Every structure is written in C-alpha cells, then in structure tokens.
Amino acid sequence: MKIIETTTKDAAQQYMISNDWLLEPAINYYRRTRGLKLAPADRSDVKADSHFI
C-alpha cells in the first residue's frame, strides 16, 4: 500500500486494483484513511485494465 500511495499521490486519475478477496477490507481501509486514488476494491476476478494486482 505504501508503494501504491507514493505512485498515485500526484496523479489526477483514479487507479484500479485487482486483489484477492482476503485483502479487500484492508485495501478499502487504507483507501479511505489515506485518501488513495483507488477505485473501491471488490471481490470480482482480475480485471485486464487494472493498474495494480
């Protein structure tokens, strides 16, 4: 999450992440508390247009 935070900090766009279902709550927690420019994490399959896996 630190790498994602530093990578997306100054970006204007919103990034997408594909994740394992187990990490969904933690990703969404950090997304909200740190103001990360990530779309909400969900439990869907890996998306081809994701920026992070």
Side-chain angles (χ1 to χ4, degrees):
M1 295 309 298
K2 285 287 216 182
I3 292 170
I4 292 173
E5 182 178 16
T6 57
T7 303
T8 63
K9 181 172 61 173
D10 297 326
Q13 70 178 13
Q14 188 176 38
Y15 289 84
M16 288 179 43
I17 188 167
S18 289
N19 54 281
D20 190 50
W21 68 270
L22 186 62
L23 299 175
E24 177 194 4
I27 291 170
N28 286 328
Y29 168 79
Y30 284 111
R31 193 176 72 60
R32 284 189 305 271
T33 59
R34 301 221 179 195
L36 299 179
K37 295 176 182 163
L38 280 176
D42 57 20
R43 296 177 186 204
S44 62
D45 292 333
V46 174
K47 300 170 199 76
D49 56 346
S50 293
H51 299 97
F52 302 101
I53 297 177

